[in-house]
Structure formats: structure tokens, C-alpha cells
């Protein structure tokens, strides 16, 4: 029996985009949600503290003589940031050493520069992830006391919201460059003389990595073309903050005029984030839609 690929792809696309969560009844007052639909989106995090604010908060915690200044409490709070930073420093040092020492021993060779850049960028990537974790921990600590509690669950922009774009972050761009460098290493290794078994293994790995690299470059090209064609779209709040029970008024602003040829559908979702364990027992944050309402609008 042939597999209906179009149906499978359509169902997978609806699952990943969240279109399966378009009409979910509201939970009863004071009761648990009757329906929960898993959303495959990036979990929301509190607004990060500024660099100076995070350093001040960390300094206060480490100088605190109460239970909050206990070494175990500090490690539980900031260990997720300091450990990646400690791991990233040796990689950066090894990368810089390779970039300085190896090119002189192997002139006119590109591999020393590639390997040095990979080690240095990998260390910088892990180090930047540690800094982000420290800022998030400092922001979570401040969120309990601040007078604006809505900033403790998401990095809200009072002016509005823009589409999620992981590639805009420094860590995302750094990870993309590192991945392309790894693909370049495999392509260079394919040109080195080797026996037939090693050639087959390298070729299979190269085909997979090149396909992923082309997919990433294609997604970047599509995003650039969409940006040129439609501009930067965003939702503009009529007022901020907005609270439960109040009227939610927003306006969709597009960078360039679009020729709408069909009905426009707006879907409002309420979701909650649950801390659950993955298959290996590690805690992960999973977003679930607990209420959704779809409202079609005719283009005028």
C-alpha cells in the first residue's frame, strides 16, 4: 500500500506549526484544562537582566551570608551558567593556539585555520550560552520582587511582538557559522586519499551534512526573500500590559502592502509551560495550548 506522502507532510506541518490547536474550549473557572495540545515552539523565558544588573545580582548573592549564599544554593542557581563558561575557555584557548602555531608549520594549508576557527568558535558558543544562563538566573531571581510580574515569564516588548527568529541571536548566528565550518572540514577530508571503506563512510557523512547545509542556506534565502517581499511584520499592542478579562486589541502591521486573495484567519492561543522529564530523565520545559479560538476574517 503506497504511503500518502502529501497527507503525512500536511499532518506533520500542522503539528509543528500549531495548526492542530485552533479550537480548544476554555478551561472551567478554577478547574484544570480539559484539553492540552503540545506546541512545538521555543519555550518562553523571562526578560534577561542587563549585563550590569546581572553582575550586581551575582555579587550580592555571593556576598550573602544567609542560606541564599550557601555554596550548594549558589551552585544550584548559577551552576548552569558557570559550567558552560568553564568548559568554553579551554576550547577557545586551544583554538587560538592552533591559529597561531599551526599555520607556521604548515604554510599554504587551509586546514589549520579551519580547525582553529572551529575550536575557537565552539568555545565561544559554549561560553556565550553560559553567559545567557547566568543572565536568565539573575532575571528569575529579580522576577519575584519586581512590580511588573509579566516580565518574569517572557521578554515582552511594550511596543508589540515580532515573529520568532532564532537566527537573530548572537548564539544562533555563531552556531550556524560553526556548523558550516564543520561541513567545510568534511568536504576537505573527502579530497584526501583514502581506502575504499573510508571513502564510503566519508561520502555518506558528507552527503548528509551537505544536505543539511543546503537546507539551512535555503531557509536563510527564503527568509531573506520574504523579508524583501513583505517587510518586517509585527503585532502592535493598543495598550500594554493587558490583563485577564480585559479586551485584547492589537493591529497587524506589515512592512509592505500585500495583495490578499483569500480569507484571513486569526488564532488566539493561551498556553502554559510545564516542566517535564525527557526520555533520559532530564527536566525540559514543554509548552501546551490550553485554550484556542480561531476567528476568520474576510479581506476587505
Amino acid at each position: 500500500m503506497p504511503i500518502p506522502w502529501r497527507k503525512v507532510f500536511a499532518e506533520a506541518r500542522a503539528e509543528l506549526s500549531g495548526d492542530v490547536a485552533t479550537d480548544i474550549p476554555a478551561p472551567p473557572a478554577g478547574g484544570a484544562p480539559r484539553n492540552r495540545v503540545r506546541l512545538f515552539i521555543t519555550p518562553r523565558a523571562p526578560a534577561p537582566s542587563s549585563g550590569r544588573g546581572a553582575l550586581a545580582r551575582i555579587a550580592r548573592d555571593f556576598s550573602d551570608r544567609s542560606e541564599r549564599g550557601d555554596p550548594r544554593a549558589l551552585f544550584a542557581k548559577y551552576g548552569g551558567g558557570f559550567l558552560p563558561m568553564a568548559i568554553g575557555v579551554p576550547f577557545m584557548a586551544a583554538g587560538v593556539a592552533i591559529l597561531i602555531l599551526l599555520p607556521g608549520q604548515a604554510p599554504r594549508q587551509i586546514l589549520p585555520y579551519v580547525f582553529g576557527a572551529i575550536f575557537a568558535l565552539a568555545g565561544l558558543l559554549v561560553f556565550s550560552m553560559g553567559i545567557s544562563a547566568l543572565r536568565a538566573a539573575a532575571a528569575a531571581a529579580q522576577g519575584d520582587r519586581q512590580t511588573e510580574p509579566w516580565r518574569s515569564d517572557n521578554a515582552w516588548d511594550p511596543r508589540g511582538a515580532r515573529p520568532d527568529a532564532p537566527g537573530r541571536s548572537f548564539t544562533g548566528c555563531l552556531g550556524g557559522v560553526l556548523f558550516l565550518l564543520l561541513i567545510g572540514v568534511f568536504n576537505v577530508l573527502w579530497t584526501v586519499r583514502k581506502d575504499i571503506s573510508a571513502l564510503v563512510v566519508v561520502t555518506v557523512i558528507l552527503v548528509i551534512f551537505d544536505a543539511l547545509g543546503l537546507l539551512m542556506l535555503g531557509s536563510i534565502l527564503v527568509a531573506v526573500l520574504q523579508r524583501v517581499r513583505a517587510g518586517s511584520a509585527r503585532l502592535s499592542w493598543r495598550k500594554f500590559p493587558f490583563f485577564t478579562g480585559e479586551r485584547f486589541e492589537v493591529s497587524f502591521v506589515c512592512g509592505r502592502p500585500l495583495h490578499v486573495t483569500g480569507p484571513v484567519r486569526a488564532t488566539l492561543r493561551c498556553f502554559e509551560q510545564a516542566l517535564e522529564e525527557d526520555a533520559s530523565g532530564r527536566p525540559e520545559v514543554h509548552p501546551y495550548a490550553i485554550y484556542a479560538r480561531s476567528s476568520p476574517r474576510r479581506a476587505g
Side-chain angles (χ1 to χ4, degrees):
M1 180 178 178
I3 301 177
W5 291 108
R6 291 186 179 181
K7 182 179 179 181
V8 172
F9 283 130
E11 292 177 353
R13 182 179 180 182
E15 187 78 19
L16 293 176
S17 63
D19 286 344
V20 294
T22 54
D23 292 294
I24 303 176
R34 288 171 289 187
N35 296 324
R36 298 172 77 229
V37 178
R38 171 75 184 274
L39 297 177
F40 293 90
I41 60 176
T42 304
R44 297 306 189 232
S49 303
S50 63
R52 186 175 300 176
L55 287 176
R57 180 65 193 181
I58 293 172
R60 286 196 298 268
D61 285 343
F62 274 84
S63 60
D64 195 341
R65 297 184 178 180
S66 64
E67 294 181 355
R68 291 178 300 181
D70 182 76
R72 292 183 179 179
L74 292 176
F75 181 79
K77 191 178 200 178
Y78 296 109
F82 283 120
L83 285 179
M85 294 172 65
I87 294 173
V89 170
F91 277 88
M92 286 191 291
V96 173
I98 292 173
L99 289 173
I100 294 176
L101 300 177
L102 286 188
Q105 300 178 3
R108 299 181 181 180
Q109 295 291 329
I110 192 174
L111 280 179
Y113 294 99
V114 175
F115 278 110
I118 288 176
F119 274 88
L121 289 178
L124 183 59
L125 176 64
V126 177
F127 190 85
S128 64
M129 292 172 63
I131 293 179
S132 299
L134 285 181
R135 294 180 62 187
Q142 292 177 351
D144 297 333
R145 301 184 181 136
Q146 63 186 359
T147 58
E148 298 177 337
W150 52 85
R151 295 188 182 275
S152 62
D153 63 352
N154 187 41
W156 294 103
D157 185 351
R159 298 170 298 178
R162 296 184 181 273
D164 292 339
R168 291 180 181 176
S169 65
F170 174 76
T171 304
C173 294
L174 197 60
V177 173
L178 181 61
F179 182 68
L180 291 177
L181 282 175
L182 286 173
I183 295 177
V185 169
F186 281 110
N187 280 272
V188 173
L189 290 178
W190 189 78
T191 62
V192 179
R193 295 184 60 182
K194 57 185 73 68
D195 57 25
I196 186 64
S197 59
L199 180 63
V200 171
V201 172
V202 174
T203 302
V204 172
I205 297 176
L206 183 61
V207 169
I208 296 175
F209 273 78
D210 281 354
L212 293 175
L214 290 176
L215 182 62
M216 185 178 70
L217 293 176
S219 64
I220 295 175
L221 180 60
V222 170
V224 171
L225 293 177
Q226 290 179 344
R227 182 66 178 269
V228 173
R229 175 177 174 269
S232 179
R234 64 184 177 91
L235 282 179
S236 179
W237 319 125
R238 295 293 178 89
K239 57 171 292 187
F240 186 86
F242 35 84
F243 300 97
T244 304
E246 294 183 348
R247 184 178 178 84
F248 178 64
E249 297 184 3
V250 297
S251 59
F252 178 75
V253 181
C254 197
R256 291 182 175 84
L258 295 178
H259 180 61
V260 182
T261 58
V264 179
R265 184 183 67 178
T267 302
L268 179 66
R269 296 188 183 95
C270 175
F271 72 92
E272 64 179 5
Q273 298 187 155
L275 187 63
E276 300 174 342
E277 293 185 353
D278 59 7
S280 60
R282 294 177 300 181
E284 285 185 347
V285 178
H286 295 161
Y288 289 90
I290 60 174
Y291 167 74
R293 181 181 179 183
S294 182
S295 177
R297 292 288 185 267
R298 290 287 179 182

